[in-house]
Every structure is written in C-alpha cells, then in structure tokens.
Amino acid sequence: MNIMKDKVALVTGAASGLGFATARAFAQAGASVVLADWKEQYVNAAAQLLKAEGFEILAIKCDVSDEKEVEQMVEKTVAEKLFSSLFISRRSTHMN
C-alpha cells in the first residue's frame, strides 16, 4: 500500500507504544517517517527496527516540551530533505 508515497510523517512519542505503532503504520502506507522521542537510545532502536523492515526512517531526539528542541527537530527534518507535508503530534508527558 502506497497511499502515503512522497509524504512525510513526523511522529512524536515514537520510541514505543502507540507512537511506534503509528510510525510503523505510516511507513507501511509508503511515507518517509521521522521518529521523535525524548529517549534517544529508544528512538534510535525503534528506527533501526523499522529500517530493517526496509522503510525510510529518520530518528531524532526531541523533548516536545522544549520549544528549541522542537525547532531543531523541524530544521533537521528539512535538512535531510524530508519536507513535512504531514505533521502528527503525539505529545507525551514523562516523569522521572
């Protein structure tokens, strides 16, 4: 299925759970997918799983509660020539 061909999905909270499932669904639909999460190790691992399935994936560490990090996330997406034609925000809260 390629209904999302030539589209980009940016999914926050994408390292696990619903965010990861959403990212995988967009990839399966043909989109290039940017995975963003505040847990760098986990978002990188999630990206490797999807890349191993043959999908075009970019992993970015981003805490969506930090405006500067969100700006950097978008800048990196554009720098990688993944122009955002679709933006999905799944804001998660975290507690230490």
Side-chain angles (χ1 to χ4, degrees), residues 9-21:
L10 192 158
V11 182
T12 62
S16 63
L18 185 58
F20 181 75

Side-chain angles (χ1 to χ4, degrees), residues 4-17:
M4 297 296 294
K5 186 176 189 294
D6 299 324
K7 303 290 184 196
V8 176
L10 192 158
V11 182
T12 62
S16 63

Side-chain angles (χ1 to χ4, degrees), residues 11-63:
V11 182
T12 62
S16 63
L18 185 58
F20 181 75
T22 301
R24 175 177 270 146
F26 277 118
Q28 290 171 335
S32 299
V33 183
V34 179
L35 279 67
D37 202 285
W38 67 282
K39 298 173 274 186
E40 186 171 23
Q41 178 181 353
Y42 296 118
V43 76
N44 288 335
Q48 289 305 313
L49 286 172
L50 294 178
K51 285 179 182 179
E53 294 178 28
F55 300 120
E56 185 177 356
I57 304 295
L58 174 65
I60 300 176
K61 181 211 173 284
C62 179
D63 178 348

Side-chain angles (χ1 to χ4, degrees), residues 58 72-84:
L58 174 65
Q72 291 171 343
M73 173 183 62
V74 172
E75 289 170 4
K76 184 168 185 178
T77 300
V78 170
E80 294 289 326
K81 297 189 178 11
L82 297 175
F83 301 101
S84 296

